Amino acid sequence: MKPLKSKRQFPDVPHFVGLIDWKLPTFRRTKRRIDKAVTIYDLQKIAKRRVPRATYDYVEGGAQREISYERSLEAFKNLEYNVRVLRNISEIDASTDVFGKKVDLPIIFAPTGYTRFMYHVGEPAVAAVAEANNMIYCLSTMGTTAPDELAAAVPGVRRWFQLYMMQNREQSLSMINNAKDNGFETLVITVDTPVSGHRPRDIRNGLTIPPRLGFKTIAYVIAKPRWWINLLTTKKLEFAAFRGWDKPLAELASHIFDSSMTFDDLAWVKSVWNGRIVIKGIQSVEDAVRCKEVGVDAIVLSNHGGRQLDRGTVPLEILPDVVAAVGDDLDVYIDGAVMSGQDVYGAIARGAKGVLVGRAYLYGIMAGGQYGVQRAVDILRKEFINTMALCGVKNLAEIRALGARIRNS
Ligand SMILES: Cc1cc2nc3c(=O)[nH]c(=O)nc-3n(C[C@H](O)[C@H](O)[C@H](O)COP(=O)(O)O)c2cc1C
């Protein structure tokens, strides 16, 4: 057979010029770095290079052998979507409503303590991204910014406050009042921390709050000078609610968490908080039903991102049973190992109202501050909408109707 040849011609100059990308390379180093990230895993890699090891490990790490977290990742990996074709998906709507108000994505910024440890601006930087994208930001009890400080910095953000019930009721009440007086619309009570989880990485790294400057730390300073300059030239790094504490993190947790709390205490919370109540850290159908009986507004199926009990239940696996058991009386959210828009799709397909993300945005903030958080949102949005289009659905109701399975691995 005679090999085929292309006919040659003179170069088409206007066409060639049209192919040249005339955009000048940006000289903003952060932007250049972050713009290269195409997935949350890319942001994670950049983050690892940017911050001290103890900081990175505090975010990525889990409890004990970190099996819970791996299993959650695995469950998302084993999702198999149902697909329909030829369904006119030219207009896709990724929005949903949360407690009667529209949000642009079914993704909520999970409460994460100590955010200024990851990036010096901390919680307000994340809240600003939430506001810009019409999303909800949840501030943690263990935040480095107090509720009034966050409200002053980002007054327009739709905000929730996460409460750890403390041994000292007066202290809990004063936090609840601070949230109430500063426009926090929903109280999220985290219940998977009767005691603090055992996290070997933090213990090995000798993580204290604030970080101490030992010989080992000085080596870290040399390795990540910019992070340290930011830390040392901005306001003191401490828990807003526990200013002055300087002992290991686990010790603080055991000092404040009320391990005697039961479902009955929720009546007290309801008597002092007149907004919506979400219970975060539910890990069984039985407790979900209990929450419905107590009359809260929503639950988050969560194992705290694998940071508390190792080898507990995997939220994505128990989700359909929980949704079936509580029906329409409660909104059911899940979290843990949501690292892509495809994961968000899978959670909705299995019946969740929405997801909370923690590490995904923390990798963004460690990689590039507020710009990195915005990049994380852009990535999740793009992947989520792309998955909707490829599965043949136009909105969240259609995702739920179509569903998804978890393959046996
Ligand atoms: C660094 C870090 C700090 C966290 N701090 C809190 C906290 O203060 N309160 C809380 O309820 N959950 C906390 N969480 C758990 C998150 O709210 C959420 O359940 C978890 O991050 C979800 O898993 P993901 O990080 O894989 O998305 C924290 C998680 C991380 C990673």
Side-chain angles (χ1 to χ4, degrees):
M1 193 173 37
K2 234 169 86 184
L4 294 175
K5 282 187 184 164
S6 262
K7 202 170 147 250
R8 298 275 170 187
Q9 63 177 32
F10 283 114
D12 174 351
V13 177
H15 175 63
F16 178 70
V17 171
L19 292 178
I20 297 174
D21 188 356
W22 293 106
K23 262 194 285 161
L24 285 171
T26 175
F27 294 103
R28 285 178 52 208
R29 287 211 328 221
T30 305
K31 185 170 180 326
R32 214 170 48 210
R33 189 174 59 239
I34 296 301
D35 286 351
K36 283 193 196 134
V38 179
T39 65
I40 300 292
Y41 295 96
D42 292 341
L43 287 175
Q44 181 178 5
K45 272 189 217 140
I46 301 170
K48 195 168 186 175
R49 292 199 301 268
R50 302 272 306 159
V51 300
R53 175 159 172 198
T55 311
Y56 179 81
D57 278 352
Y58 173 58
V59 173
E60 189 197 56
Q64 303 275 354
R65 289 176 57 200
E66 305 185 352
I67 292 170
S68 272
Y69 185 62
E70 268 168 36
R71 285 186 184 158
S72 286
L73 284 171
E74 204 61 21
F76 279 111
K77 201 167 108 191
N78 289 331
L79 273 171
E80 187 172 277
Y81 306 121
N82 296 324
V83 181
R84 296 288 182 276
V85 293
L86 300 175
R87 300 232 299 194
N88 185 6
I89 45 80
S90 52
E91 298 215 353
I92 286 189
D93 178 8
S95 73
T96 187
D97 80 275
V98 174
F99 296 146
K101 268 201 255 167
K102 185 181 160 205
V103 285
D104 287 358
L105 285 171
I107 303 171
I108 293 171
F109 288 96
T112 57
Y114 218 47
T115 313
R116 289 195 55 236
F117 187 45
M118 289 105 205
Y119 176 67
H120 60 286
V121 179
E123 292 83 0
V126 186
V129 174
E131 182 186 18
N133 294 275
N134 189 26
M135 294 165 75
I136 294 170
Y137 175 71
C138 185
L139 177 69
S140 161
T141 299
M142 309 301 274
T144 37
T145 307
D148 53 315
E149 293 165 345
L150 187 101
V154 195
V157 70
R158 214 176 141 189
R159 47 194 179 272
W160 291 3
F161 181 70
Q162 177 265 322
L163 179 77
Y164 283 123
M165 281 285 269
M166 293 174 219
Q167 289 162 19
N168 180 339
R169 272 288 156 85
E170 285 307 309
Q171 215 169 355
S172 298
L173 186 59
S174 114
M175 296 204 83
I176 290 175
N177 286 336
N178 192 354
K180 200 193 295 181
D181 297 343
N182 285 288
F184 286 74
E185 60 177 65
T186 296
L187 193 63
V188 178
I189 302 173
T190 298
V191 292
D192 54 13
T193 47
V195 295
S196 103
H198 179 71
R199 300 188 202 140
R201 293 203 213 191
D202 294 349
I203 298 167
R204 278 190 209 112
N205 290 331
L207 182 67
T208 58
I209 305 288
R212 293 244 173 80
L213 286 166
F215 279 114
K216 219 165 125 194
T217 330
I218 287 169
Y220 292 152
V221 177
I222 296 163
K224 316 281 173 193
R226 181 181 285 260
W227 186 91
W228 283 95
I229 288 167
N230 284 334
L231 176 79
L232 299 172
T233 57
T234 51
K235 71 175 180 182
K236 200 169 154 198
L237 178 65
E238 52 189 356
F239 290 113
F242 312 99
R243 295 212 151 108
W245 183 272
D246 66 348
K247 298 209 176 64
L249 192 57
E251 251 179 66
L252 172 62
S254 61
H255 175 74
I256 58 161
F257 297 157
D258 182 0
S259 52
S260 70
M261 187 183 173
T262 69
F263 274 95
D264 296 337
D265 293 293
L266 293 177
W268 176 80
V269 177
K270 285 173 107 179
S271 73
V272 293
W273 173 266
N274 37 25
R276 313 263 188 187
I277 295 178
V278 177
I279 305 294
K280 173 173 178 283
I282 296 299
Q283 295 158 78
S284 68
V285 172
E286 291 76 6
D287 283 346
V289 171
R290 203 67 213 282
C291 286
K292 171 175 145 173
E293 288 161 2
V294 171
V296 298
D297 300 282
I299 55 173
V300 185
L301 299 184
S302 170
N303 58 29
H304 216 102
R307 299 164 70 81
Q308 283 294 114
L309 171 70
D310 201 16
R311 301 188 232 190
T313 44
V314 174
L316 189 69
E317 289 175 358
I318 64 167
L319 175 61
D321 290 344
V322 169
V323 173
V326 300
D328 293 333
D329 297 334
L330 274 187
D331 287 341
V332 181
Y333 294 86
I334 71 164
D335 77 11
V338 174
M339 289 284 283
S340 73
Q342 285 227 301
D343 299 340
V344 180
Y345 182 100
I348 309 286
R350 285 178 65 80
K353 172 89 184 154
V355 301
L356 275 63
V357 292
R359 292 180 182 86
Y361 78 79
L362 292 176
Y363 291 138
I365 205 167
M366 291 191 291
Q370 190 170 326
Y371 193 73
V373 180
Q374 180 58 56
R375 185 72 176 177
V377 170
D378 291 342
I379 290 170
L380 293 173
R381 180 193 292 110
K382 200 168 176 182
E383 293 172 338
F384 181 54
I385 291 177
N386 178 262
T387 309
M388 288 177 77
L390 292 173
C391 287
V393 295
K394 289 189 291 299
N395 53 45
L396 269 68
E398 288 185 8
I399 300 180
R400 273 185 213 107
L402 197 55
R405 299 171 297 281
I406 299 183
R407 292 166 65 93
N408 291 329
S409 46

